[in-house]
Amino acid sequence: MARYTCSFILAVPIGSLQQGIIEVLESCNFDIVYNTPDNIMAREIPGKVSYAKLARAEVLIERATATEKEVRINVVVKNEELPLQVENHCHQMFDRVHQGILEYRHWQLVESVVG
């Protein structure tokens, strides 16, 4: 199973964070399947790759450590394919989500850690 993770600290009011995350995921060809105040789960819209390559994204919002102006989120993008090549489909989808979060205009990036 391919799995890629990253963590961000974003300068954004916590009240507008969730809508922004949803917009980023939808712009990256994901469909939201689960949405709570602490967690957003999405799956890649089928049609372009085989079922095993379809990516899933999970975003954990760390509300316990959030301040009025900053929030930490953890992002995981994974699928069922074995990561036999560095540039596999899951990694490409991870790059899309990562770049989407970095470039989203309604918040400011404070810190980003890819791991």
Side-chain angles (χ1 to χ4, degrees), residues 13-115:
I14 197 158
S16 59
L17 176 67
Q18 247 177 316
Q19 185 57 40
I21 292 170
I22 290 169
E23 287 177 20
V24 168
L25 291 172
E26 288 176 342
S27 74
C28 295
N29 201 37
F30 283 90
D31 186 29
I32 307 303
V33 294
Y34 184 75
N35 183 3
T36 67
D38 297 330
N39 196 354
I40 299 172
M41 296 174 76
R43 66 173 179 215
E44 185 179 359
I45 297 171
K48 296 185 179 179
V49 295
S50 68
Y51 180 77
K53 289 185 179 184
L54 287 175
R56 294 181 306 278
E58 298 176 20
V59 180
L60 175 64
I61 301 166
E62 293 188 14
R63 290 184 171 275
T65 60
T67 66
E68 287 183 25
K69 297 181 181 179
E70 289 185 357
V71 182
R72 177 182 293 274
I73 64 171
N74 297 303
V75 179
V76 177
V77 178
K78 59 187 176 180
N79 71 2
E80 296 298 322
E81 77 177 312
L82 292 173
L84 301 175
Q85 300 173 344
V86 175
E87 269 307 306
N88 57 61
H89 180 72
C90 189
H91 191 263
Q92 291 169 356
M93 295 305 292
F94 170 78
D95 283 343
R96 270 187 177 176
V97 172
H98 186 263
Q99 200 62 35
I101 292 171
L102 291 176
E103 295 175 355
Y104 190 67
R105 67 184 185 278
H106 294 294
W107 57 50
Q108 184 176 5
L109 179 69
V110 175
E111 182 180 315
S112 172
V113 177
V114 177

